[in-house]
Amino acid sequence: MTEIDLTTPLQKVIGNGAKLLADSLNLHTVGDLVYHFPRRYEERGEHTDIRSLEMDTEVTVFGQVKRVSSRTFVQQRGKTAGKRGSLLEVVVGDDSGGELSVTFFNQPWRESQLRPGRWGLFSGKVGRFQSKLQLNQPDYILLDGAEGEESVEEFAGAIIPVYPATAKVPTWRIAAAVRTVLDVLPPTPDPVPGTVRAKRKLSSLDKALREIHRPESRESLHFARRRLKWDEAFALQLTLVQRKHRAADWPARARPLRDDGLLATFDGQLPYELTRGQRDVGNEIAADLARPHPMHRLLQGEVGSGKTVCALRAMLQVVDAGGQAAMLAPTEVLAAQHHRNVIDLLGGMARAGELDAAPDATRVALLTGSLGAVAKRKVLEEIGSGAAGIIVGTHALLYEGVTFKDLGLIVVDEQHRFGVEQRDALRAKADQPPHVLVMTATPIPRTVAMTVFGDLETSVLSQLPNGRSPIASHVVPATDKPAFLDRAWRRIREEVAAGHQAYIVCPRIGDAKSDGEDLALAPGDDDRRAPLAVLDVAPQLAEGPLHGLRIGILHGRLPADEKDAVMRSFSAGDLDVLVATTVIEVGVDVPNSTVMMILDADRFGVSQLHQLRGRVGRGSAAGLCLLVTESVEGTPARARLDAVASTTDGFKLAELDLEQRREGDVLGATQSGRRSHLKLLSLLRDAELIGDARAEAFELLEDDRELTRHPGLAATVTQLVDEERAEYLEKG
């Protein structure tokens, strides 16, 4: 056989079996297969927790045959109706007491193989028959050389790899293919410099790739996984540090502070004092804007910490320096609210050309997709001429025909709500690379920020402005304690009677066209009843527990003018209760709202719940968030809600949220539709390793920015962080 390497097609090594691996698992080359790592390992004598199996899932169970029984019967259907058939039932169990029924029809010969006491791997879909868990006609392999079974030496050792598999390609067939490949694969060249491997006590790449599939011991497996995790972290950090260096070299127009412009006037008339955090962040941003290189800064802070004021001060600094600033908001509701807030805060400074305009005043434009033709033409003229120094908009800012005179700053609000291409399209509208400020109210754990936003400078606002009230959160177990739900409705009526307002949040809109829209299901959602919907709940409340109150409806499918009218009515106090979807999740600011009830709260993720409850407690009165659920105590969903109710620390909740999500989503796997490249690395558990990789990346790139002296490493980085993923990281 011609010498092979990681790029060799599998067909050349394993023959006909390659097509099945390609079709079922998208594995085409030797490298694809070698990097298809086991998802867990079993040891003989260790039990598999059979009791944790879930219905209708494909599983591989490692267990021991406990009992075997067989019987004959007369077949009732099909071509064999009237003939005698046989049923073999094998009970597989583990030391914890969990048991699983494994059944075979018309295969009596298997009884001689599946004798009590034998250990094996059984692979199939979990079903249920007469209240018992069952695998019907599964694939299996016995680990002590069952007669008639293919011998797979891979499972002869004490540590047994169990691979991500499919119904057509069970784990032992993958193991057999891996064994065939590793037996003929020459030592794999190591792209990581020897000095780095020695300093960080890393195994060689070749040894790690072999040990992760065929570990001699738990210790050797630990070192193999550590080395392969390092490669993932190192590739990401090299990419981010390269991008950071390149961005620092880009030319940009400096926008220095003026002490006699709009910003100075704005600061002088603020009716409250900035928090220390806002002042510190403002100084960081001001210094960035004054440099001849584009700012690329992430501003994260708790809901209500005052990020918008920081952004407005940055926009005024750019306007003072002759440029324009654009704020990109994810929804028309939020864009309209930002526009109103900016105009209210600026007063005469936002009314250039009008009689009561302040000296050096500018104009604040709003551009959304629902603007009429005449209004849109006027806004586009103001943007193109430079008359509008501050422009707030939705995706409409990205369209052709939107031309800026001098775009100097882009503020992206709630960056996770935008796709990469959308953010980049706005940046491309500037003649030179503009300064970029990315804002998020979803707190990001340090390791996530370091891994995903490693090429951004990061600022954190943790202090709430004076006058903001704390938010108390409580879980309302609707099924266990219906009296608690009754009390919750009375609590809402009490708040309204005291002159305050309330939000009722539902996961779904409810009309046939929009099922699933505005809905972000939490991890582990299953086939329960449909989530509660705004269009169903609102009339029930009007006739039931909230009878007599003024109730409004808000969701993503309402026409823009209706959404704006509803929000104006609610803000003005003309509505007592707003029944809404997550369209209110970000930016909506009604200080008189003091209570929020989230129905089917277990259908939402942790960070989303934290964002939602930030809509109350924005005034001087205390805020209350009621998390209504049918989940019972002891379930993961209930534990998630209890965690949200127990703390208002967004960073703790963000870590919990990350633990419960696929970490690859953080790197854009969901947005790009591609598989995550984080196969082993955990952004939380491997924080120290990620930090070490970042330090080594800075050191290595200090005098070899493009890795020209390390071509093997450059190729590995390209392989592990492909161009699409690299662009995602850069533009994020």
Side-chain angles (χ1 to χ4, degrees), residues 455-521:
D455 56 342
L456 278 71
E457 300 299 328
T458 302
S459 298
V460 177
L461 282 174
S462 56
Q463 182 183 358
L464 292 179
N466 292 331
R468 285 291 167 87
S469 301
I471 302 171
S473 299
H474 302 283
V475 176
V476 180
T479 303
D480 298 354
K481 300 177 180 177
F484 281 32
L485 181 58
D486 293 339
R487 173 65 185 123
W489 293 122
R490 291 200 304 275
R491 189 74 181 83
I492 289 174
R493 298 190 73 97
E494 289 167 6
E495 287 296 311
V496 172
H500 301 305
Q501 292 163 281
Y503 295 102
I504 309 292
V505 181
C506 303
R508 196 163 56 92
I509 299 173
D511 62 327
K513 293 180 182 178
S514 59
D515 268 4
E517 206 168 287
D518 286 0
L519 172 64
L521 292 181

Side-chain angles (χ1 to χ4, degrees), residues 572-685:
D574 297 332
L575 295 172
D576 300 315
V577 178
L578 187 60
V579 183
T581 60
T582 56
V583 72
I584 65 162
E585 178 185 353
V586 291
V588 174
D589 186 8
V590 181
N592 193 46
S593 301
T594 56
V595 60
M596 173 179 287
M597 177 184 283
I598 303 177
L599 300 176
D600 280 345
D602 49 287
R603 307 277 184 146
F604 299 92
V606 170
S607 291
Q608 195 167 36
L609 291 171
H610 184 57
Q611 283 267 41
L612 284 166
R613 70 175 167 188
R615 299 304 106 209
V616 296
R618 302 179 73 86
S620 57
L624 174 65
C625 180
L626 301 170
L627 305 170
V628 180
T629 179
E630 294 180 357
S631 298
V632 298
E633 277 193 89
T635 60
R638 182 65 172 274
R640 197 163 61 236
L641 297 182
D642 289 341
V644 173
S646 69
T647 181
T648 56
D649 186 331
F651 286 90
K652 286 182 181 177
L653 293 173
E655 292 200 354
L656 175 65
D657 195 30
L658 181 62
E659 286 172 356
Q660 295 179 338
R661 288 192 292 147
R662 297 192 309 275
E663 290 184 332
D665 291 352
V666 183
L667 297 182
T670 299
Q671 288 194 43
S672 68
R674 300 170 68 94
R675 293 180 299 171
S676 164
H677 285 242
L678 283 191
K679 295 182 177 181
L680 298 175
L681 190 69
S682 165
L683 300 183
L684 291 177
R685 293 187 296 274

Side-chain angles (χ1 to χ4, degrees), residues 83-144:
K83 295 183 179 180
R84 298 190 72 79
S86 66
L87 171 66
L88 178 67
E89 182 178 17
V90 179
V91 177
V92 174
D94 55 40
D95 295 338
S96 70
E99 291 189 341
L100 179 71
S101 175
V102 175
T103 57
F104 300 93
F105 289 92
N106 298 327
Q107 299 174 48
W109 53 271
R110 294 194 185 275
E111 188 170 0
S112 63
Q113 293 180 350
L114 297 163
R115 297 191 301 272
R118 304 191 86 166
W119 285 89
L121 287 157
F122 300 84
S123 183
K125 180 179 274 191
V126 179
R128 189 182 295 277
F129 180 70
Q130 293 182 346
S131 77
K132 292 189 295 186
L133 290 176
Q134 181 185 72
L135 295 183
N136 187 19
Q137 313 235 124
D139 281 327
Y140 66 88
I141 184 168
L142 298 174
L143 304 186
D144 46 4

